[in-house]
Amino acid sequence: MAALIVAHDQARRIAATVRAALAIPGVDLVLVVDDGSTDNTQELARRAGAVVVRHSHVRGRSAAVETGASVIAMRDEPGRTPRAILLLDPNLGHYAIGAAPLVPAVLEGVCDLAVALTDAQAVAPGVPSKIARTAVEHATGWSPRQPLGRIRCLTREALEAAMPLARGNGLEPAMTLDVLHAGLTITEVECDIRHKGPSIEDRTPVGRANRYREVLLATSARRIKGRVATARTAVGNRLRPERDDAPEIGEDA
């Protein structure tokens, strides 16, 4: 199991987050993707025991997760099951240990994707969360309590099903829909994690508008993708009996 942490200017908390991640049973690798930090985030992460890769400029969380996943794949041993990945926020500090219950849920085959339910609230409020929850419910019949939860653990197969990742705040709801459309399983697991609350950007009108837009775009794109996949399956099912009944080459018609 590898813990993947995307960090930008997180010098204050990154070392504590890395140490807590290393203490989670089952985690044998902590990878920090420094997404263009201007402080000494990468140095402090490395000193705390993480493997660190760095983007020379800010590319965003989704691109950083894709970078991290590629690096983790290169460090997997040939012939062995690829590492599952635990996605952690960089500002959790020592509270990152609270994500530990997600690991056995995935490693023991309970699910392909486990999402942390934090102790902040039972059902996430807000319009973006409602949009994401409704999209998942309409597509699958399941209503997640915290559809935008960023702290997640998933198998390599589940991650590949979500590639390429949706950008910005659309990453999580799009990942959920992609994993479910791939026929894989998801569960939400209660974790004792103290949330830091919304970022400064999310507290501003522009930040909230961007969050709304990114979630809406991601869920709409996945809804269309799901309909196309369903249509292809339906067409294939209709054509298959005709092909089965057709005479083989060389057979008398």
Side-chain angles (χ1 to χ4, degrees), residues 102 111 113-117 122 142-148 186-190:
L102 299 177
C111 61
L113 168 59
V115 181
L117 291 175
W142 174 58
S143 181
R145 291 161 63 185
Q146 296 183 17
L148 303 183
I186 301 178
T187 190
E188 293 179 307
V189 180
E190 291 188 6

Side-chain angles (χ1 to χ4, degrees), residues 29-230:
L29 170 66
V30 175
L31 179 73
V32 172
V33 179
D34 184 340
D35 194 35
S37 294
T38 58
D39 60 12
N40 61 339
T41 291
Q42 65 169 326
E43 179 183 352
L44 294 174
R46 191 173 289 111
R47 288 181 180 178
V51 174
V52 180
V53 294
R54 187 175 187 275
H55 289 163
S56 59
H57 60 279
V58 177
R59 295 178 56 191
R61 186 163 56 95
S62 298
V65 170
E66 291 173 353
T67 295
S70 297
V71 173
I72 291 169
M74 289 188 293
R75 297 178 70 92
D76 286 340
E77 296 182 16
R80 298 191 62 179
T81 301
R83 283 186 176 90
I85 296 177
L86 175 64
L87 299 174
L88 296 173
D89 283 342
N91 59 357
L92 290 173
H94 65 273
Y95 290 107
I97 192 69
L102 299 177
V103 174
V106 172
L107 293 185
E108 295 175 9
V110 175
C111 61
D112 301 287
L113 168 59
V115 181
L117 291 175
T118 70
D119 61 358
Q121 61 269 325
V123 178
V127 175
S129 291
K130 183 177 181 181
I131 291 172
R133 186 178 300 111
T134 301
V136 174
E137 188 171 14
H138 284 174
T140 68
W142 174 58
S143 181
R145 291 161 63 185
Q146 296 183 17
L148 303 183
R150 291 160 56 116
I151 302 170
R152 300 176 165 222
C153 186
L154 69 168
T155 63
R156 171 64 62 169
E157 182 182 6
L159 182 61
E160 293 294 338
M163 292 288 190
L165 299 176
R167 282 355 192 193
N169 292 287
L171 190 160
E172 285 79 21
M175 175 186 287
T176 296
L177 288 167
D178 284 339
V179 169
L180 291 172
H181 285 149
L184 303 176
T185 57
I186 301 178
T187 190
E188 293 179 307
V189 180
E190 291 188 6
C191 295
D192 185 14
I193 299 174
R194 181 178 299 181
H195 256 204
K196 293 290 294 178
S199 65
I200 293 176
E201 291 79 6
D202 288 340
R203 296 171 190 163
T204 67
V206 173
R208 289 193 294 271
N210 286 338
R211 185 179 180 88
Y212 173 88
R213 177 178 56 83
E214 290 167 353
V215 170
L216 184 61
L217 286 174
T219 53
S220 297
R222 262 50 183 191
R223 188 181 302 117
I224 294 171
K225 179 180 177 181
R227 288 173 179 171
V228 170
T230 301

Side-chain angles (χ1 to χ4, degrees), residues 247 250-253:
E251 182 180 69
D252 292 337

